[in-house]
Amino acid sequence: MEGVSVSYGTFHALRPLDLTIGHGDFLAILGPSGCGKTTLLRAIGGFQRPTSGRILIDGQDVTALGPEKRPSNTVFQGYGLFPHLNVRQNIGYGLRIAGRGRPDIAREVEHIAALVRLQEYLDRPIDKLSGGQRQRVALARALVMRPKVLLLDEPLAALDLKLRQTMQEELRRIHREIGGTFVFVTHDQSEALSLATRIAVMNEGHLVQIGSPEEIYQRPKSRFVATFLGEANVLAATRRAGHVTLAAGGSFTSRGADGDIAIAVRPEVIKIAPSPGAAGLTLRGRVRDRVYLGSHLRYEIGLADGGRLVAAADTADRRNLPAPGEEITVGWAHDAQVLLDT
């Protein structure tokens, strides 16, 4: 995509952006409601004509082509299945419209049904299927057309937690087996982290960061990315002559321009009562709250500047874990913190 934007009068749903999606990528477009992620997906699929820029798929300029003429297919959140057709007929519908012969359609439908594990349901009516089975039918109907790009618009949003996790595993397996290019829209951070090979984070129509899940999570470029994807502590600091001082106390060296800055620290990298002399940065605070969450304890700690810090302690570590009201020392390694651009 080159300089693609979408505007409705004075409202800019999508600011001009460049985006390259590699062959075989499983790209998640992630962001809050109204950020432009669905508009971007619709533009890729041909359902939304860009105001400016152009879209290329495998080197072909498809900007002026409708969805039926693009080498892509879309799975919508509402599935869009035909209730009067059974599973077999729904999956093979696109092939029939394309004029493929009956033996060819039957062979392709059987192959895709096996891929999505629907062989035993091929003659079942749509209204006799569970939500997860309907999702598989919608996926099979798109895949049977062998698109170069498969687009998924929040495909798991209507499923309950257990079923959503199962379908995430299925999507990962299918992507590995067919090796295609998948692009999906989601507002669910955990879903993006668990499914995607790359994540594109959007906010207010802008593409603000793109990278691997590890890169986006561990090295966010802005306060928005740090706090939207997972939980992060953002601490105010000032840099003078290469020396950074936190408002809550503590300091370290860092090259860069003088002025007010911020650092981000994930709760899981923070150590409660670190060993004396441990390398890194330490702060003093008082425990405001402690919550047991099974795999870990979530601590809320009040800091000297009136701010707060959230830390996660492993519940397997039974060493004198502090209780609410106690004063404690917390710390983290210098390479576990990130200096934010904004």
Side-chain angles (χ1 to χ4, degrees), residues 62-84:
V62 299
T63 311
L65 300 181
E68 74 285 354
K69 295 183 179 179
R70 297 193 183 194
S72 61
N73 218 323
T74 304
V75 177
F76 296 101
Q77 183 177 338
Y79 310 149
L81 301 176
F82 299 111
H84 61 289

Side-chain angles (χ1 to χ4, degrees), residues 239-314:
R239 180 163 45 206
R240 294 284 185 271
H243 191 78
V244 175
T245 303
L246 275 66
S251 63
F252 59 94
T253 57
S254 170
R255 295 179 180 177
D258 287 356
D260 294 335
I261 62 170
I263 66 169
V265 188
R266 298 289 184 188
E268 64 269 19
V269 305
I270 298 173
K271 303 294 184 184
I272 302 290
S275 303
L281 192 148
T282 60
L283 296 176
R284 292 287 295 171
R286 185 181 297 274
V287 178
R288 291 180 180 173
D289 196 14
R290 185 180 75 179
V291 181
Y292 178 80
L293 295 173
S295 62
H296 68 279
L297 288 165
R298 184 181 187 275
Y299 278 90
E300 182 179 335
I301 300 157
L303 300 175
D305 66 341
R308 70 168 195 143
L309 191 73
V310 174
D314 190 344

Side-chain angles (χ1 to χ4, degrees), residues 3 11 24 30 44 58 62 117 151 172 185 210 250 255 275 303:
F11 174 68
L30 176 67
I44 297 172
D58 204 16
V62 299
R117 299 175 178 172
L151 306 173
R172 282 195 298 269
V185 158
I210 185 167
R255 295 179 180 177
S275 303
L303 300 175

Side-chain angles (χ1 to χ4, degrees), residues 6-74:
V6 174
S7 299
Y8 306 102
T10 59
F11 174 68
H12 304 289
L14 200 63
R15 302 284 181 169
L17 62 83
D18 297 329
L19 174 62
T20 300
I21 304 171
H23 177 72
D25 274 352
F26 200 145
L27 176 72
I29 304 174
L30 176 67
S33 298
C35 71
K37 57 186 184 293
T38 297
T39 300
L40 176 57
L41 193 81
R42 287 173 56 82
I44 297 172
F47 299 96
Q48 174 66 59
R49 184 72 178 266
T51 304
S52 66
R54 62 181 191 147
I55 299 169
L56 298 93
I57 298 179
D58 204 16
Q60 176 191 4
D61 190 338
V62 299
T63 311
L65 300 181
E68 74 285 354
K69 295 183 179 179
R70 297 193 183 194
S72 61
N73 218 323
T74 304

